[in-house]
């Protein structure tokens, strides 16, 4: 039974790493990628809808994103959503599609992005620590009836080793993203 708790905790920690990678993919690192728009939500017929469910997003070159809405009447809402987002991009509407030109990053914007990267990383570490706490609580509950105190301690140590491994993975992912952002 404690093995199931450890396995479940590791699966959840792995999902936290995947969520961190997804969040970091939405940060601009100087080149255009449709993932930049993953967090943009558009008010569409009264409901907040992800942009990628309302339009085709493509990258004709490394500095341009093209958004071609399936419903032309939603163009104004898409433009407003992009303007409200924290991307710092200005949409250009030609009637059929919206173009987003991605300017080169300034040193100031790069440092802002690194700070945002660190914030995402800290949130990922907190999520992993919360998973560790939940798993340890489950192990301690088992200690009262199913397992001995020594076994409980050993399982908690194993969970801590997993936590340390995943925290190191977060640090590795952050370092790679920071290097990508600071690259000129």
């Amino acid at each position: 039974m404690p093995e199931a708790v450890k396995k479940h905790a590791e699966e959840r920690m792995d999902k936290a790493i995947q969520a961190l990678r997804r969040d970091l993919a939405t940060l601009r690192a100087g080149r255009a990628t449709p993932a930049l728009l993953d967090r943009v939500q558009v008010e569409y017929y009264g409901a907040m809808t992800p942009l990628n469910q309302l339009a085709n997003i493509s990258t004709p070159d490394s500095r341009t994103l093209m958004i071609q809405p399936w419903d032309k009447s939603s163009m104004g809402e898409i433009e407003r959503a992009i303007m409200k987002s924290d991307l710092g991009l200005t949409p250009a509407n030609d009637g059929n599609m919206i173009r987003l030109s991605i300017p080169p990053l300034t040193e100031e914007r790069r440092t802002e992005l690194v700070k945002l990267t660190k914030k995402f990383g800290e949130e990922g570490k907190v999520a992993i620590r919360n998973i560790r706490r939940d798993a340890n609580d489950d192990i301690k509950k088992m200690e009262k009836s199913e397992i001995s105190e020594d076994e409980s301690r050993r399982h908690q140590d194993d969970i801590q080793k997993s936590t340390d491994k995943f925290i190191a993975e977060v640090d590795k992912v952050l370092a790679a993203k920071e290097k990508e952002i600071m690259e000129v």
Side-chain angles (χ1 to χ4, degrees), residues 10 13-21 24 120-121 124-125 128 161-177:
E10 285 189 358
M13 288 178 188
D14 190 49
K15 287 180 184 175
I17 296 284
Q18 291 171 11
L20 173 65
R21 284 192 173 117
L24 291 178
F120 282 140
K125 288 179 182 180
I128 289 170
K161 287 175 187 167
S162 294
T163 302
D164 293 341
K165 179 180 84 173
F166 282 100
I167 296 269
E169 179 71 17
V170 166
D171 290 336
K172 192 171 97 179
V173 168
L174 289 179
K177 186 64 176 186

Side-chain angles (χ1 to χ4, degrees), residues 25-156:
T26 65
L27 292 179
R28 191 173 99 201
R31 51 181 125 27
T33 174
L36 289 174
L37 302 173
D38 281 353
R39 290 185 293 156
V40 175
Q41 297 281 318
V42 180
E43 187 174 336
Y44 187 65
Y45 290 109
M48 295 308 281
T49 310
L51 176 58
N52 60 8
Q53 292 181 9
L54 298 174
N56 183 32
I57 303 169
S58 61
T59 54
D61 60 59
S62 66
R63 297 271 182 217
T64 308
L65 280 172
M66 283 185 7
I67 304 165
Q68 191 166 14
W70 293 309
D71 179 8
K72 300 289 186 228
S73 66
S74 66
M75 287 187 97
E77 290 298 326
I78 291 173
E79 281 185 282
R80 274 191 284 285
I82 292 169
M83 293 294 280
K84 278 196 255 179
S85 72
D86 62 350
L87 294 173
L89 300 175
T90 306
N93 183 347
D94 70 1
N96 291 323
M97 64 182 69
I98 298 171
R99 291 182 191 278
L100 293 174
S101 293
I102 310 234
L105 293 173
T106 63
E107 189 63 31
E108 181 181 315
R109 183 67 179 146
R110 288 177 195 278
T111 56
E112 284 177 33
L113 288 173
V114 167
K115 287 179 187 174
L116 193 57
T117 300
K118 289 181 180 180
K119 178 181 158 249
F120 282 140
E122 198 53 45
E123 289 171 0
K125 288 179 182 180
V126 167
I128 289 170
R129 290 182 191 122
N130 287 339
I131 295 166
R132 174 191 61 195
R133 183 196 62 224
D134 293 344
N136 282 340
D137 288 347
D138 290 345
I139 295 289
K140 287 175 187 172
K141 286 177 189 170
M142 287 181 203
E143 181 182 326
K144 293 177 180 155
S145 61
E146 299 173 34
I147 60 175
S148 71
E149 203 173 308
D150 289 342
E151 279 183 282
S152 170
R153 189 75 215 143
R154 191 176 67 248
H155 291 302
Q156 289 178 36

